[in-house]
Amino acid sequence: MLKIGEKTFESRLLLGTGKYTDATVQQEAIDASASQILTFAVRRLDIFDKQQANFLESLDLTKYDLLPNTAGAKTAEEAVRLAKLARASGMCDMVKVEVIGCDKTLLPDPIETLRASEELLKEGFIVLPYTSDDVVLARRLEELGCHAIMPAASPIGSGQGILNPLHLQFIIDQTTVPVIVDAGIGSPTDVAYAMELGADGVLLNSAVAHAKDPVKMAHAMRLSVEAGRLGHEAGRIEKKQYAVASSPTSGLIR
Ligand SMILES: CC(=O)[C@@H](O)[C@H](O)COP(=O)(O)O
């Protein structure tokens, strides 16, 4: 079970809701993923305008927890404002803090992310910050009281997968809150790898929304999360430099 704040979730796969061209495909992909937490950019949705079509209308909201994100924010103040806007709609008190510090890489601004997280924690939010894969920052965010840490595998939408497994491992080993690998996932292999490293969950969007068959890919991602987690719990064998015969070498007929 994935525990965030006081809530527990059976699924360890969090799904982004952007980039879909078809609402039916999106719904089918969400079903196939079995995700229970869906993230959306507050800035891309007019949650107060009932006339405006949005993806929330087509979802059975009793089945999901919504994780609004502050995408588009470049300062802590903007992120806090977006989070408060989402909470004012009455749909959630969790927030994914996303404060972008570089337009080209879309990597997060660590200082503004820290400031925004601190303020939102004071305001009583369940705070999940999107961060770079920096263990020092992750520990500072945990010390503040953040409820999960969301390090990037690689730049958002790049599909490059896990570029620095060592850094992710540092974060997994040196924090106690859930670590949810977020952004840059390209394939089910990347998901299984993150989970085998010991991540508590994975958040992805582009790899499913832009797949040739998003529904099939969502299903594959679900299976990869489960397989990777099982593999982590089962404990992989040690890597050895030389071969070790699989068949017994004693008691052989000569
Ligand atoms: C931080 C962020 O915005 C990501 O959650 C993004 O929504 C998903 O990244 P990918 O599209 O690379 O999976």
Side-chain angles (χ1 to χ4, degrees):
M1 292 283 226
L2 172 64
K3 188 164 189 286
I4 300 174
E6 292 305 310
K7 287 200 164 183
T8 51
F9 303 91
E10 269 175 46
S11 169
R12 293 175 180 273
L13 177 59
L14 289 72
L15 210 61
T17 54
K19 300 183 175 177
Y20 287 87
T21 46
D22 182 306
T24 309
V25 172
Q26 180 185 49
Q27 178 63 68
E28 287 174 11
I30 293 170
D31 288 344
S33 75
S35 294
Q36 294 171 295
I37 304 179
L38 304 178
T39 182
F40 67 95
V42 179
R43 272 184 49 164
R44 298 215 177 84
L45 205 65
D46 190 339
I47 43 194
F48 296 104
D49 182 357
K50 304 281 181 254
Q51 307 304 316
Q52 207 181 91
N54 69 53
F55 85 94
L56 294 176
E57 285 172 355
S58 54
L59 295 178
D60 175 0
L61 292 180
T62 58
K63 282 167 58 183
Y64 312 102
D65 273 72
L66 294 176
L67 177 61
N69 66 63
T70 62
K74 291 189 171 175
T75 64
E77 288 71 26
E78 284 170 10
V80 169
R81 191 178 64 80
L82 287 168
K84 285 183 176 172
L85 203 61
R87 187 160 71 176
S89 73
M91 60 173 90
C92 41
D93 58 1
M94 287 202 292
V95 63
K96 184 177 108 171
V97 175
E98 188 173 330
V99 188
I100 298 301
C102 167
D103 287 337
K104 201 164 169 65
T105 60
L106 297 183
L107 288 172
D109 182 323
I111 296 162
E112 296 300 302
T113 300
L114 200 80
R115 286 183 57 228
S117 298
E118 188 168 25
E119 182 59 30
L120 289 167
L121 286 163
K122 277 189 210 148
E123 297 274 349
F125 282 85
I126 304 294
V127 178
L128 297 80
Y130 162 63
T131 74
S132 51
D133 58 359
D134 177 344
V135 66
V136 179
L137 176 62
R139 287 173 53 170
R140 292 288 298 270
L141 289 163
E142 178 176 29
E143 280 161 21
L144 277 184
C146 289
H147 300 83
I149 307 293
M150 306 185 86
S154 53
I156 296 171
S158 71
Q160 292 193 52
I162 297 174
L163 293 182
N164 199 330
L166 183 66
H167 280 195
L168 283 184
Q169 192 74 71
F170 287 161
I171 295 176
I172 290 164
D173 291 349
Q174 295 200 39
T175 56
T176 57
V177 289
V179 175
I180 299 169
V181 174
D182 177 10
I185 295 294
S187 73
T189 307
D190 305 331
V191 169
Y193 192 15
M195 296 305 293
E196 278 191 63
L197 288 175
D200 297 278
V202 172
L203 190 156
L204 56 90
N205 185 171
S206 309
V208 165
H210 284 174
K212 202 162 64 180
D213 185 335
V215 180
K216 203 174 261 187
M217 186 59 84
H219 188 197
M221 295 302 192
R222 170 190 180 174
L223 297 177
S224 280
V225 165
E226 289 169 10
R229 180 69 189 180
L230 273 178
H232 173 71
E233 287 173 0
R236 61 154 294 136
I237 61 166
E238 266 177 47
K239 292 183 183 176
K240 300 182 185 73
Q241 189 169 3
Y242 292 105
V244 180
S246 297
S247 315
T249 49
S250 59
L252 298 178
I253 300 164
R254 291 176 187 269

